[in-house]
Amino acid sequence: MILSLYIINKAGGLVYQRDFNESLNRLSSNDYLILAGTFHSIHAITTRISPVGNSEGIELLEADGFKLHCFQTVTGIKFLLITDPAHPNTDAALRRIYRLYSDFVMKNPFYTPDMPIRAELFDQSLQRTIPSL
């Protein structure tokens, strides 16, 4: 089950956040912004401290009750997907979400890059797609 989706711009700002499970504890708006900035900073640090050369940074963070998956695009946008630990094939889910983002956000002539995403078609497409992922 997919629990939440976060999209973080290349500067570390949260541009989109959506929970897909009603039982999740809600954070304040400020806490979501802090979470995004903190993850962005940790991700940047992990790309530099890798002992095996070039690193893509954190791609998976596992905890007892969830997994956090990170997909970073070539432009620096990060897609964070929080799932339950048993969720299969998260890479395909992240790529599907990225395609929806490309189609309904980046091709929207009224969207300004790095600004909060307010695209109703993107929201509707996610709502239809997430249950099948």
Side-chain angles (χ1 to χ4, degrees), residues 15 22 24 32 36 60-61 63 66-67 76 92 94 108 115 117 119 123 126-127 133:
V15 294
E22 298 301 321
L24 292 175
Y32 285 122
L60 175 65
L61 184 121
F66 69 93
K67 286 185 180 180
L94 279 165
N108 181 345
M115 295 303 292
I117 297 170
D123 284 330
L126 278 176
Q127 196 65 31
L133 295 177

Side-chain angles (χ1 to χ4, degrees), residues 19-46:
D19 293 326
F20 297 101
N21 187 317
E22 298 301 321
S23 67
L24 292 175
N25 292 332
R26 303 287 183 238
L27 301 174
S28 70
S29 299
N30 195 41
D31 287 341
Y32 285 122
L33 295 172
I34 292 169
L35 177 68
T38 302
F39 183 85
H40 175 76
S41 299
I42 292 171
H43 188 274
I45 291 168
T46 60

Side-chain angles (χ1 to χ4, degrees), residues 45-64:
I45 291 168
T46 60
T47 62
R48 290 183 273 165
I49 64 171
S50 173
V52 292
N54 291 340
S55 171
E56 297 292 321
I58 295 174
E59 293 179 1
L60 175 65
L61 184 121
E62 293 185 53
D64 290 339

Side-chain angles (χ1 to χ4, degrees), residues 3 60-69 81-86:
L3 304 174
L60 175 65
L61 184 121
E62 293 185 53
D64 290 339
F66 69 93
K67 286 185 180 180
L68 185 146
H69 305 266
L81 197 61
I82 299 175
T83 67
D84 67 2

Side-chain angles (χ1 to χ4, degrees), residues 110-127:
F110 301 107
Y111 177 68
T112 304
D114 295 330
M115 295 303 292
I117 297 170
R118 300 200 193 327
E120 190 174 324
L121 288 175
F122 179 62
D123 284 330
Q124 291 170 353
S125 296
L126 278 176
Q127 196 65 31

